[in-house]
């Protein structure tokens, strides 16, 4: 009787242990695939050992979210592995500190993806950044908290993007722009830099959908639609900024005339004389240029 109970409970324990370890197991071959030098090296799982030689590199690290969570409140087996979750099994390194286990920056992306796959990073594998060899660790500095959020490798997002996209970021300094330099908006208000299904890595499928998230009143529907507005806001606006009023791609009269050459009054001086960069030009009278809901708003004058 007693023996049977023992066998049963042993069996129970076995089932529990197998279930548990399956749910949160670590792929032992992951690191050997990245670099064969990891073969045979075991997890040490003790940050104090690492710190005993690496206090210099880890003082800043201790102020990051990773450090706090992995040390104080690890939820998965991989988080419990601590330093070695990102640096791989290191017993052989401790026995012989001169032994190097370097991996490349794009291999680091695979390491990060162990915990950060899906969600906002769903389209990472097809992103232009990935294919241009701009990696997780190009934009993120995980060993040191340099930015107020998201562990960026520069102090601000604008500064980070400026390292490669000066043509775009310089527009943010122009006369008319989204309040990015003021810190009220980010490039990531419109872009998912980790990749997105549509063109331009936008947060929404099209640029108009992206604009509507904040400029809902432009969505309509209107009784009188202005065709180019429905089609693409970028026809008239440069969302990155411009030296014309309201981020227009050109002064508003020349803009309108690029499509509207005909019409009794268009080329008459008194109609477009107010068309300086700071004047209102055509929209002095065509005030509802994005569309009108007024029964007689067919010419967008009300
Ligand atoms: C006995 C001292 C010692 C211990 C313990 C130690 N390291 Fe190192 N580690 C070194 C030395 C020495 C270097 C080479 C430093 C250099 O080149 O500047 C190094 C280099 C590194 C590097 C950069 C090169 C590489 O191989 O990737 C990483 C990452 C690293 N160690 C992580 C760890 C981790 C994680 C632990 C704990 C599991 C650890 N180390 C424990 C001495 C140690
Ligand atoms: C979230 C992933 C991650 C964790 C966790 C992590 N590191 Fe790192 N570590 C990196 C990356 C990525 C680099 C290389 C790029 C860099 O310096 O940002 C690095 C670099 C290093 C280096 C080399 C610095 C140099 O100058 O070459 C050492 C040493 C190191 N880490 C030790 C540790 C120790 C010790 C811990 C735990 C206390 C730890 N790391 C935790 C990702 C991590
Ligand atoms: C073992 C799992 C694990 C690995 C590996 C890992 N992370 Fe994380 N990371 C986390 C957890 C957990 C959080 C906290 C998430 C939260 O706050 O909800 C986090 C948070 C972050 C944040 C947000 C930090 C903040 O201050 O808000 C960034 C950025 C980040 N990770 C980037 C990386 C990068 C880059 C790598 C690879 C070098 C990496 N992570 C590797 C688990 C991991
Ligand atoms: C081109 C630069 C860039 C690259 C490459 C990049 N990131 Fe980011 N990441 C950012 C920026 C900027 C933010 C903050 C804005 C945002 O959330 O989109 C961020 C935010 C994050 C966050 C925090 C999100 C949150 O909700 O707090 C995590 C986690 C993260 N990135 C992980 C990764 C991982 C993993 C990779 C590689 C697969 C990666 N990033 C590649 C720039 C980058
Ligand atoms: C290390 C350089 C680097 C950094 C930093 C960087 N990018 Fe890029 N980015 C590139 C490269 C390279 C491409 C590929 C296309 C190209 O050559 O312009 C690209 C492409 C893009 C695209 C176009 C995507 C498409 O589908 O057309 C957007 C949008 C973008 N980056 C936004 C950002 C934002 C926002 C930041 C800051 C959070 C940033 N990038 C940081 C190098 C960088
Ligand atoms: C108000 C929304 C918005 C903001 C904010 C924004 N962008 Fe864009 N961005 C767009 C749109 C829309 C496109 C065109 C996407 C397409 O191809 O359809 C674009 C395109 C791009 C491209 C592709 C090439 C090009 O020059 O058109 C890059 C690179 C880029 N943005 C970088 C940035 C950077 C860096 C920032 C921050 C300084 C930023 N964007 C802020 C909306 C925005
Ligand atoms: C994340 C929110 C957000 C998104 C998305 C957004 N905008 Fe804006 N937009 C703003 C804010 C905030 C202002 C500044 C309003 C103010 O200063 O009163 C603004 C102002 C503008 C202005 C007026 C600028 C001026 O100088 O008067 C135009 C034009 C504009 N946005 C066009 C666009 C276009 C086109 C898109 C899509 C490509 C877009 N916006 C997407 C938030 C957004
Ligand atoms: C046919 C050209 C054209 C198109 C297309 C266009 N706009 Fe405009 N937009 C203008 C003009 C002209 C002004 C300046 C109006 C003024 O000075 O009164 C303006 C002003 C704005 C402003 C600031 C003033 C206001 O009305 O709030 C915002 C925001 C704006 N547009 C958003 C958008 C969005 C979002 C789209 C796409 C859905 C879009 N625009 C498409 C011509 C256009
Ligand atoms: C990219 C081309 C384009 C631009 C730029 C543009 N429009 Fe239009 N506009 C159109 C089209 C297409 C129609 C619809 C024409 C039709 O139904 O015959 C239209 C219709 C109109 C109408 C109604 C015309 C009618 O016959 O009922 C007015 C008024 C108008 N636009 C004014 C403007 C003004 C003012 C501007 C500058 C702020 C402007 N448009 C910029 C393409 C454009
Ligand atoms: C002083 C006010 C005023 C100004 C300035 C003005 N318009 Fe008009 N526009 C009108 C009125 C009113 C109508 C309607 C006329 C009608 O129904 O006969 C109209 C009609 C139009 C039409 C439709 C033409 C048609 O045959 O029905 C177009 C296109 C147009 N305007 C474009 C422009 C452009 C482009 C500019 C700037 C160069 C401009 N307007 C400046 C008042 C103005």
């Amino acid at each position: 009787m007693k023996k049977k109970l023992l066998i049963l409970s042993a069996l129970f324990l076995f089932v529990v242990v197998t279930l548990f370890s399956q749910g949160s197991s670590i792929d032992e071959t992951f690191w050997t695939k990245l670099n064969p030098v990891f073969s045979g090296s075991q997890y040490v799982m003790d940050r104090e050992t690492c710190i005993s030689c690496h206090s210099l590199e880890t003082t800043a690290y201790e102020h990051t979210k990773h450090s706090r969570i992995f040390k104080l409140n690890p939820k998965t087996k991989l988080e419990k592995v601590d330093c070695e979750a990102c640096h791989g099994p290191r017993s052989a390194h401790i026995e012989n500190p001169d032994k190097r286990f370097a991996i490349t920056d794009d291999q680091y992306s695979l390491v990060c993806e162990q915990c950060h796959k899906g969600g906002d990073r769903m389209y990472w594998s097809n992103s232009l950044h990935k294919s241009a060899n701009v990696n997780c660790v190009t934009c993120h500095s995980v060993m040191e908290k340099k930015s107020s959020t998201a562990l960026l490798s520069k102090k601000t997002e604008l500064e980070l993007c400026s390292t490669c996209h000066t043509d775009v970021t310089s527009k943010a300094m122009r006369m008319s722009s989204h309040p990015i330099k003021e810190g009220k908006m980010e490039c990531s208000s419109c872009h998912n830099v980790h990749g997105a299904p549509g063109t331009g890595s936008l947060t929404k499928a099209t640029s108009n959908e992206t604009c509507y998230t904040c400029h809902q009143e432009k969505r309509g529907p209107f009784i009188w639609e202005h065709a180019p507005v429905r089609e693409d806001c970028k026809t008239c606006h440069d969302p990155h900024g411009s030296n014309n009023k309201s981020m227009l791609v050109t002064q508003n009269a020349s803009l309108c005339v690029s499509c509207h050459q005909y019409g009794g009054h268009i080329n008459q001086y008194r109609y477009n004389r107010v068309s300086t960069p700071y004047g209102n030009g055509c929209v002095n009278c065509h005030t509802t240029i994005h569309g009108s809901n007024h029964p007689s708003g067919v010419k967008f004058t009300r």
Side-chain angles (χ1 to χ4, degrees):
M1 196 60 198
K2 232 178 172 178
K3 205 172 163 190
K4 211 173 178 183
L5 205 70
L6 209 70
I7 294 171
L8 267 178
S9 49
L11 202 71
F12 176 74
L13 209 72
F14 175 75
V15 170
V16 169
V17 166
T18 344
L19 279 178
F20 178 76
S21 55
Q22 266 177 357
S24 55
S25 70
I26 303 172
D27 180 2
E28 305 286 351
T29 63
F30 178 83
W31 286 93
T32 352
K33 274 188 238 152
L34 295 186
N35 187 345
V37 75
F38 282 102
S39 153
S41 194
Q42 304 289 311
Y43 286 108
V44 182
M45 294 209 193
D46 176 27
R47 109 164 30 183
E48 297 313 323
T49 307
C50 312
I51 292 179
S52 68
C53 293
H54 289 297
S55 58
L56 209 64
E57 295 97 329
T58 46
T59 9
Y61 171 74
E62 306 242 316
H63 300 288
T64 67
K65 223 182 221 176
H66 285 130
S67 173
R68 284 198 302 274
I69 293 179
F70 295 178
K71 183 178 182 180
L72 304 172
N73 191 19
K75 292 197 184 64
T76 65
K77 210 165 175 181
L78 205 53
E79 288 172 21
K80 287 200 186 81
V81 168
D82 207 354
C83 311
E84 291 163 293
C86 293
H87 291 302
R90 286 265 168 177
S91 66
H93 168 66
I94 292 171
E95 284 155 21
N96 177 8
D98 290 335
K99 195 163 178 186
R100 289 292 186 277
F101 294 83
I103 58 170
T104 60
D105 283 359
D106 72 318
Q107 287 180 324
Y108 262 124
S109 295
L110 297 172
V111 171
C112 311
E113 279 192 290
Q114 296 178 100
C115 303
H116 292 295
K117 228 179 158 92
D120 279 350
R121 277 152 296 282
M122 182 107 77
Y123 297 96
W124 169 251
S125 52
N126 300 322
S127 75
L128 273 184
H129 279 137
K130 181 178 188 292
S131 41
N133 205 26
V134 180
N135 301 291
C136 311
V137 295
T138 317
C139 295
H140 293 288
S141 147
V142 290
M143 292 303 289
E144 185 181 353
K145 188 171 156 55
K146 297 177 178 167
S147 62
S148 58
T149 57
L151 292 173
L152 302 179
S153 54
K154 292 280 187 290
K155 205 155 178 275
T156 64
E157 193 180 306
L158 183 58
E159 208 182 307
L160 169 64
C161 312
S162 298
T163 56
C164 302
H165 296 292
T166 39
D167 52 334
V168 175
T169 51
S170 62
K171 289 184 181 172
M173 309 303 159
R174 290 183 177 173
M175 184 198 97
S176 171
S177 69
H178 275 107
I180 296 174
K181 61 176 180 299
E182 293 83 353
K184 290 183 191 154
M185 245 174 104
E186 308 266 24
C187 307
S188 59
S189 307
C190 294
H191 292 288
N192 183 346
V193 296
H194 304 106
T199 61
S201 300
L202 296 170
T203 53
K204 296 280 182 249
T206 64
S207 56
N208 273 35
E209 284 300 325
T210 307
C211 309
Y212 298 149
T213 57
C214 300
H215 300 290
Q216 280 148 312
E217 76 290 350
K218 302 287 188 287
R219 182 194 282 275
F222 300 106
I223 301 176
W224 310 107
E225 301 274 7
H226 193 192
V229 177
R230 265 315 132 255
E231 210 167 286
D232 193 347
C233 311
K234 293 199 304 300
T235 310
C236 300
H237 296 289
D238 187 335
H240 296 138
S242 96
N243 284 327
N244 301 307
K245 195 171 169 285
S246 299
M247 287 183 255
L248 291 172
V249 292
T250 60
Q251 291 179 30
N252 116 21
S254 353
L255 177 66
C256 311
V257 173
S258 70
C259 295
H260 297 287
Q261 277 101 3
Y262 307 103
H265 67 301
I266 290 177
N267 296 316
Q268 291 174 19
Y269 177 68
R270 72 187 174 94
Y271 285 99
N272 55 30
R273 65 185 156 182
V274 276
S275 305
T276 65
Y278 307 97
N280 269 352
C282 313
V283 292
N284 241 6
C285 300
H286 298 285
T287 50
T288 56
I289 201 64
H290 300 100
S292 170
N293 276 322
H294 192 283
S296 32
V298 59
K299 311 293 179 195
F300 311 127
T301 50
R302 58 195 81 199

